[in-house]
Amino acid sequence: MKLLELVQYFRNGGSYTEFCQLQDLNTESEVIEIYMEQPWEIDKDLAFFEIEKTEGNIEYSANGKEYSNLFDFYYFLDAIEESNNDENQSLSNEKLTKLLYSYAINDA
């Protein structure tokens, strides 16, 4: 799943619990972290890991691949919620994806 697909899923009303079940993630985890395969590019596939597995590391290896942390699901869900308010509703999924990606690579 790419970042744009993740944005679309949640902006279209997808549920966190259902998402976790589809991705075989523990909904009881303290936090789910969103990673991207290195090197970062906006259209790279994402990976999702429980913090109990990553131990909060910015870099994480799994399945023979190297990943870097973009942000956690709390941040992501807050951004989705804000994007759906009256002030930001006109923001396209593509623009929101670019803003989230820019945040991850420049500000995180």
Side-chain angles (χ1 to χ4, degrees):
M1 175 175 278
K2 299 180 183 338
L3 187 54
L4 177 59
E5 295 166 329
L6 187 66
V7 166
Q8 290 169 331
Y9 175 84
F10 282 97
R11 283 191 96 190
N12 291 330
S15 95
Y16 177 75
T17 302
E18 182 179 297
F19 179 82
C20 287
Q21 290 170 345
L22 291 170
Q23 297 292 323
D24 198 28
L25 297 166
N26 180 358
T27 58
E28 299 300 315
S29 174
E30 182 178 336
V31 67
I32 303 294
E33 297 182 303
I34 302 171
Y35 284 76
M36 182 178 280
E37 188 177 344
Q38 297 176 10
W40 282 4
E41 292 177 24
I42 197 164
D43 62 346
K44 284 273 187 127
D45 284 328
L46 301 177
F48 311 95
F49 303 105
E50 297 93 345
I51 197 166
E52 293 82 2
K53 289 183 182 174
T54 67
E55 299 179 344
N57 290 317
I58 293 173
E59 308 295 320
Y60 186 68
S61 297
N63 305 318
K65 296 180 181 179
E66 298 294 319
Y67 297 95
S68 292
N69 184 287
L70 290 177
F71 33 73
D72 65 48
F73 242 102
Y74 292 126
Y75 172 81
F76 175 77
L77 292 174
D78 284 346
I80 294 298
E81 186 176 327
E82 281 186 36
S83 77
N84 288 330
N85 70 23
D86 291 340
E87 188 176 310
N88 297 315
Q89 208 167 24
S90 63
L91 193 64
S92 71
N93 289 339
E94 290 79 9
K95 179 68 175 168
L96 179 57
T97 299
K98 288 177 183 174
L99 289 170
L100 286 166
Y101 180 74
S102 176
Y103 167 80
I105 63 172
N106 295 314
D107 299 328

